[in-house]
Amino acid sequence: MASTLLLAGCGSPTAATNNQPVDQKTKINLSLKPDESGKIMILMYHNIGKTEAEWVRTPENFRKDLQTLYDKGYRPISLSDYVTGNITTEQGKTPVVITFDDGNKNNFEYLEDGPVNKDSAVGILMDFHEQHKDFPLEATFFVNGELPFGQKGMESKKLNYIIDNGMDIGNHTQTHVNFTKAGVETIQKEIGGQAQYLQGLINNKDYKITTIALPYGSRPSDKSLTPYLAAGSYNGAAYKNIAILNVGWNPGYSPYDGKFSNEGIPRVRASETKVDGVGFYDYLQYFDKHPEEKFISDGVPGIVTVPKDKAVILNSSMKQEIYTY
Ligand SMILES: [Zn+2]
């Protein structure tokens, strides 16, 4: 999880060496056409494996995905930075969020003699970041159950490794529950119990599990229970989710868009199989043709830069300074 939400800058001038304030806006290169009202893809992966399938990406294809993102100017950000609007992406580039569901062993495997499997998701992400330092090492792994990443005795080691390397762990419930018919007790146990369990395995006691991917994208059919997805308590401990993720089928709103909701974040399937024209590569192509619809960072986290005609869609109550051109 990257740094806190309301960071330095935030629209206020920074002291320069001659004690004259420097207008942060002068750092923004308008020729890069920054547009922070545009869409951001939250990619949804499940497995990395030998045979490509609907829910499986081969190591080669996952590397291709990362290279394609890199070449097209996409740069990963953390989910928490996305929902809090702390976009630190370098100017001219487009943020993207990478997520993995289910905590399968092929997401993160230690080989018998010790090293991280280079063909597991974590291994591939680490290697790619090593070779492309300007491609931040950011991804969220949503894990369910008591054995995240499937190697007994390594649960704690793996969670800490992910967090210590700047990536994130999210909640995917205790039993991969379908929330449709769940009652209030079940919802809080599934979410709160899992958050407590995971936090108990993590050395950094300041690290909280605050994001959830809903299994099957399911929500309680009793709408009065929906608030318990965001907050509740179990066994005397409160939980709070700042991001609630669905399963499909389209890019997310900018966190500065008035329509953005942190409690219903759509994802794009990171697959090329059975994606029905709404997969990752479909949207890459779409944004190539419609660059005016994607988020392009201004490089200054405290200022939200948009072309004049886009200002109307922004959330009027946001804290950041708005800069139009
Ligand atoms: Zn799942």
Side-chain angles (χ1 to χ4, degrees):
M1 194 179 298
S3 56
T4 48
L5 145 69
L6 294 166
L7 49 143
C10 230
S12 59
T14 306
T17 45
N18 61 0
N19 288 329
Q20 292 301 307
V22 168
D23 186 346
Q24 296 283 317
K25 293 204 245 348
T26 60
K27 295 180 180 170
I28 297 169
N29 181 352
L30 295 177
S31 74
L32 295 173
K33 299 197 162 107
D35 182 353
E36 302 194 307
S37 71
K39 300 269 175 44
I40 294 176
M41 285 191 286
I42 298 92
L43 299 178
M44 179 178 69
Y45 286 95
H46 282 78
N47 294 281
I48 303 294
K50 283 199 174 69
T51 309
E52 182 77 17
E54 193 174 352
W55 305 106
V56 183
R57 212 72 182 121
T58 64
E60 295 69 35
N61 280 335
F62 185 43
R63 289 188 189 98
K64 177 186 86 169
D65 294 349
L66 298 178
Q67 189 67 52
T68 305
L69 285 170
Y70 183 82
D71 293 344
K72 289 183 180 291
Y74 293 85
R75 297 290 181 269
I77 60 170
S78 73
L79 192 51
S80 56
D81 281 348
Y82 168 57
V83 297
T84 58
N86 177 36
I87 310 286
T88 56
T89 303
E90 71 177 281
Q91 61 179 325
K93 305 298 187 199
T94 298
V96 62
V97 179
I98 296 172
T99 70
F100 275 84
D101 282 9
D102 300 348
N104 289 304
K105 181 172 151 189
N106 55 47
N107 287 182
F108 187 4
E109 181 184 21
Y110 281 108
L111 299 175
E112 282 197 8
D113 46 348
V116 174
N117 183 347
K118 296 266 187 200
D119 282 342
S120 66
V122 167
I124 293 168
L125 284 163
M126 301 276 297
D127 278 351
F128 194 86
H129 171 67
E130 198 53 43
Q131 292 150 15
H132 306 82
K133 289 286 190 193
D134 58 339
F135 192 83
L137 185 58
E138 295 287 2
T140 297
F141 293 86
F142 290 100
V143 299
N144 49 287
E146 289 186 356
L147 189 53
F149 309 115
Q151 283 175 296
K152 199 138 184 60
M154 292 188 166
E155 301 90 325
S156 182
K157 181 180 176 183
K158 288 184 178 182
L159 297 188
N160 285 306
Y161 185 91
I162 283 175
I163 288 157
D164 293 347
N165 280 287
M167 295 178 282
D168 289 290
I169 296 294
N171 200 327
H172 203 40
T173 75
Q174 285 181 325
T175 68
H176 206 272
V177 69
N178 186 328
F179 280 124
T180 315
K181 290 183 178 146
V184 64
E185 301 301 326
T186 302
I187 296 171
Q188 294 183 98
K189 180 175 185 294
E190 286 281 347
I191 300 175
Q194 184 69 358
Q196 282 169 38
Y197 174 72
L198 295 171
Q199 280 163 197
L201 294 172
I202 294 167
N203 296 333
N204 178 357
K205 295 304 169 198
D206 292 330
Y207 191 90
K208 300 290 180 221
I209 304 293
T210 58
T211 62
I212 184 168
L214 301 173
Y216 320 103
S218 65
R219 287 167 182 269
S221 40
D222 177 351
K223 297 271 188 291
S224 73
L225 300 181
T226 303
Y228 291 99
L229 299 176
S233 70
Y234 176 68
N235 263 357
Y239 64 86
K240 185 167 166 51
N241 288 313
I242 61 168
I244 301 175
L245 278 68
N246 301 331
V247 291
W249 303 101
N250 42 281
Y253 287 116
S254 159
Y256 314 125
D257 189 314
K259 292 193 288 295
F260 172 79
S261 167
N262 63 320
E263 295 188 357
I265 297 171
R267 290 190 284 175
V268 170
R269 282 187 44 204
S271 171
E272 292 174 282
T273 309
K274 295 188 189 165
V275 289
D276 298 329
V278 288
F280 170 33
Y281 283 88
D282 298 299
Y283 283 113
L284 281 176
Q285 259 183 24
Y286 182 83
F287 287 126
D288 282 351
K289 282 192 203 125
H290 301 276
E292 74 284 359
E293 289 191 32
K294 70 177 180 182
F295 190 110
I296 300 173
S297 180
D298 63 9
V300 180
I303 298 179
V304 173
T305 304
V306 296
K308 274 201 174 66
D309 61 323
K310 301 278 187 70
V312 292
I313 72 172
L314 296 175
N315 175 355
S316 53
S317 62
M318 70 182 173
K319 297 181 181 77
Q320 289 85 351
E321 180 183 356
I322 296 171
Y323 176 35
T324 61
Y325 68 97

